[in-house]
Structures are given as structure tokens and as C-alpha cells.
Amino acid sequence: QVQLVESGGGLVQPGGSLRLSCVASGIDFRLFGLNWYRQVTGEEREWVGGITSGGHTVYADSVKGRFTISRDNAKNTMYLQMNSLKPEDTAVYVCNAVQRISGLLSNYWGQGSQVTVSS
């Protein structure tokens, strides 16, 4: 059974920092590409950024320079370090693991972790 479990969310003041974690089980973690998405109720899910199995990272323009994604394959864990947080970063943050081999797509999602940026 595949599980992705996020943690580390909470309430933070504008300009503050948080680090989210996503722990995976039931998959060969090191072979998967990983992504962070975020969703606000009533809006479409927004891609935040991702990291390949080889460690290459890409980010949405809205978070570039403020957020950093990393992974620790020994711990089956992906991280999202969020700095200089803004109220518009408030959302449920969801991790995603994806792998495509020979045309077969494996795509898994966590339940999400709430991040609220407010004074």
C-alpha cells in the first residue's frame, strides 16, 4: 500500500518560514519524481515545484527564490523549505510522487498539510 504523508504545516506570520516534509512508503522512492502542489478551496490546484529522481529541481515563478525542494532518499522523504512567506502562500500543500515506465504511469498523492500565513 502506497502512502504519502505530509507534515510541518501551521500558522506563520508574513515573512516567516516553514519546512514541510513528505514521507513515502510502499514505493521505490529513489526512482520517483516528486512534486509539491497547493490548493485553496474553490480554486484549481497549483503546481509549486518538483524534484527529479536525479535531484534536479524546478519551481513555479510564484515561489522561485523563496522555496526550496530537496529529497533524502535514505529517509524516503521530500522537503519543502518555505521562506519569506506571504499571505497568498496560504493553502493546503500536497505532495505527489510520479513515475512513468514503458508507458505505465504511477501517480500518488498525499492528503495535504495546511499552511496559513497571517498576522
Side-chain angles (χ1 to χ4, degrees):
Q1 180 182 0
V2 178
Q3 280 193 310
L4 300 178
V5 180
E6 302 94 337
S7 63
L11 174 65
V12 63
Q13 292 189 342
S17 298
L18 276 177
R19 188 177 82 155
L20 303 183
S21 299
C22 171
V23 180
S25 59
I27 59 173
D28 193 346
F29 183 80
R30 61 193 173 91
L31 299 181
F32 276 71
L34 306 169
N35 297 282
W36 285 101
Y37 288 79
R38 63 188 181 186
Q39 182 148 31
V40 176
T41 303
E43 299 182 10
E44 289 197 6
R45 183 172 287 180
E46 176 189 13
W47 175 77
V48 173
I51 185 167
T52 67
S53 57
H56 178 68
T57 54
V58 288
Y59 300 95
D61 287 344
S62 58
V63 306
K64 199 174 294 182
R66 300 188 298 121
F67 290 11
T68 303
I69 297 172
S70 60
R71 64 189 297 165
D72 185 339
N73 290 340
K75 296 181 178 179
N76 283 8
T77 302
M78 171 177 61
Y79 302 99
L80 178 64
Q81 177 67 44
M82 303 183 290
N83 299 328
S84 302
L85 282 161
K86 306 174 181 180
E88 53 263 42
D89 294 318
T90 295
V92 174
Y93 284 72
V94 182
C95 65
N96 163 254
V98 61
Q99 181 188 52
R100 188 186 297 273
I101 294 180
S102 300
L104 178 64
L105 179 66
S106 299
N107 196 23
Y108 304 106
W109 297 89
Q111 292 298 308
S113 181
Q114 176 69 48
V115 171
T116 302
V117 184
S118 175
S119 55

